[in-house]
Amino acid sequence: MSRTTENLSSPQSTQTPASQTQPSKNGQLLDQVDKLRESRRRLREEVGKVIVGQQDVVDLLLLGLLCRGHVLLHGVPGLGKTLMARTLSSTLDLKFKRVQFTPDLMPSDITGTDVIEEQEGGGGHQLKFVPGPIFTNFLLADEVNRTPPKTQAALLQAMQEHEVSVGNTTYELDPPFFVVATQNPIEMEGTYPLPEAQVDRFMFNIRVRYPTIQEEADIIRGTTGTDTFEPSAVLSAADLLQLQEIVRSVPVSDDVIMYAARLVAATRPRLSDRGATMVGSEVEMVRKYVTYGASPRAGQALVLAGKARAVLEGRYHVDFADIAALAHPVLRHRLVLNFHGRADNVDSDDVIDALLKAVKEDVS
């Protein structure tokens, strides 16, 4: 993305007082925040034409997209996980591909492969790369835990480096690149749970819950008639890239960064001497139920998502509340519980609740 600079050699620019340039800069920042808030409102409005309820899920999907992260949707069948992803992609005017993960899916079915084709004029044969569905802006990996680890790993390089290696050639993916993967938690037979290293690549793990009775009535009413609704495109790929830059430019105070760091450190049950100032060993549920805590990616995700949440709410600064509000979707898939946790019917959300109570915002 190109950047424009002012002509500092101009006589007028050299005479402009700093007191006048600073308000101008602040005004530009406020305009950018307003633009992002308006985009969110329009996106919600368009998605709401198709999806009933689930506003929290839609907001987290948008946060992940603005932060250049990836999202794992976790929920029982029939809750609209696939429809939500497809609808969001329609409102963003992005190239969309869906892959139904199955036990017989091969890595080349995702990344693409080299094929031999005959040259024009009968001049022999040549290798030609045929791109797979991963060459898109918005990839829906449906039931990602139903395919073997070899195929799941085909997503790793694309999610982390935004590139794909096939043979001796590496191909770059066009930005933006966003992966939404879905999982069904009630069927474990014939599935391949994602390895911890791959789960850690997802910025959020979002639990899609059942709708309320009123929402379910609205769903039934809206889907059993003749009326159909199609969302309109709100943002282009270029607009989205610009908004991603706005999110990353949001300032964060050292106190908020330290709070995020302490929260992540508190998930780790075993601390070295260098971690003497951490609070992980002070949280009883962590010592009792957690085998491995969150990686540094969790802290990065907390702060970056906090920036996006702040500007979506009209603020150009990150607060402690932004970090706390995002702790569950950021941390729940990064905590590895031991046998005692499973035996006592404790899940990662219970541990995170205890962490939020134990870790103080300000230690001064």
Side-chain angles (χ1 to χ4, degrees):
M1 183 176 296
S2 62
R3 297 182 179 179
T4 59
T5 57
E6 296 180 358
N7 183 6
L8 299 181
S9 61
S10 169
Q12 293 182 352
S13 64
T14 56
Q15 294 175 5
T16 302
S19 60
Q20 295 182 15
T21 59
Q22 187 63 34
S24 175
K25 181 178 180 180
N26 291 339
Q28 291 177 0
L29 297 179
L30 292 176
D31 289 342
Q32 292 173 340
V33 172
D34 289 340
K35 179 180 178 180
L36 197 47
R37 286 187 68 193
E38 176 62 16
S39 299
R40 178 202 196 184
R41 185 195 64 78
R42 293 172 59 199
L43 283 169
R44 275 184 161 188
E45 185 177 293
E46 293 299 322
V47 171
K49 294 179 180 179
V50 180
I51 303 297
V52 177
Q54 305 289 3
Q55 285 295 333
D56 291 343
V57 178
V58 173
D59 282 346
L60 286 172
L61 284 171
L62 182 57
L63 286 179
L65 187 58
L66 291 173
C67 296
R68 302 172 187 167
H70 307 288
V71 174
L72 184 63
L73 293 179
H74 207 256
V76 300
L79 296 183
K81 300 185 296 295
T82 300
L83 182 60
M84 273 188 280
R86 184 182 293 275
T87 303
L88 182 61
S89 71
S90 298
T91 63
L92 296 169
D93 193 23
L94 298 177
K95 188 189 302 181
F96 175 83
K97 296 287 181 65
R98 174 188 176 186
V99 178
Q100 185 67 44
F101 280 67
T102 57
D104 60 346
L105 198 70
M106 299 296 292
S108 58
D109 296 327
I110 301 174
T111 61
T113 187
D114 291 321
V115 298
I116 300 177
E117 68 171 14
E118 187 175 352
Q119 294 181 350
E120 295 182 2
H125 296 80
Q126 64 179 2
L127 282 177
K128 178 183 178 182
F129 176 66
V130 179
I134 203 168
F135 288 86
T136 187
N137 298 126
F138 196 124
L139 178 67
L140 174 58
D142 228 346
E143 298 196 62
V144 68
N145 59 329
R146 286 201 169 277
T147 200
K150 183 178 181 179
T151 305
Q152 292 173 355
L155 288 174
L156 282 178
Q157 182 184 15
M159 291 171 61
Q160 190 68 27
E161 280 84 24
H162 291 192
E163 61 185 25
V164 174
S165 294
V166 178
N168 294 324
T169 307
T170 298
Y171 303 90
E172 292 188 359
L173 299 174
D174 293 332
F177 178 67
F178 183 50
V179 175
V180 175
T182 68
Q183 278 196 156
N184 175 3
I186 62 175
E187 286 187 57
M188 298 307 296
E189 185 175 353
T191 63
Y192 304 84
L194 292 173
E196 282 73 15
Q198 184 162 341
V199 172
D200 199 30
R201 258 68 173 192
F202 289 96
M203 186 174 197
F204 295 142
N205 181 344
I206 305 174
R207 290 185 175 177
V208 184
R209 314 213 180 255
Y210 285 109
T212 64
I213 294 178
Q214 182 59 53
E215 289 172 345
E216 192 155 358
D218 292 339
I219 292 171
I220 296 170
R221 188 179 302 109
T223 56
T224 55
T226 57
D227 294 335
T228 58
F229 301 95
E230 292 293 333
S232 301
V234 174
L235 295 172
S236 66
D239 292 332
L240 182 58
L241 291 174
Q242 183 181 17
L243 294 178
Q244 288 176 342
E245 290 294 328
I246 294 173
V247 167
R248 287 184 170 263
S249 68
V250 175
V252 184
S253 69
D254 289 341
D255 289 340
V256 172
I257 290 177
M258 285 301 298
Y259 174 60
R262 292 198 308 274
L263 196 60
V264 173
T267 66
R268 301 162 188 160
R270 299 183 182 88
L271 302 176
S272 63
D273 293 339
R274 292 192 303 170
T277 59
M278 299 179 186
V279 294
S281 60
E282 298 176 4
V283 182
E284 176 63 25
M285 290 193 73
V286 172
R287 295 202 311 269
K288 186 175 181 180
Y289 296 124
V290 177
T291 302
Y292 296 102
S295 73
R297 283 197 187 100
Q300 295 170 334
L302 280 173
V303 172
L304 192 54
K307 292 183 176 187
R309 185 178 188 269
V311 293
L312 286 179
E313 294 189 354
R315 293 178 284 109
Y316 202 71
H317 68 279
V318 183
D319 200 353
F320 295 111
D322 295 314
I323 305 299
L326 296 161
H328 287 86
V330 168
L331 295 175
R332 65 164 58 105
H333 56 299
R334 292 181 163 98
L335 304 184
V336 180
L337 303 188
N338 57 26
F339 169 78
H340 300 291
R342 295 189 293 269
D344 292 347
N345 199 26
V346 172
D347 68 8
S348 55
D349 278 6
D350 298 324
V351 177
I352 296 168
D353 288 337
L355 286 170
L356 290 173
K357 293 179 180 178
V359 180
K360 304 304 179 183
E361 296 177 353
D362 191 355
V363 294
S364 59

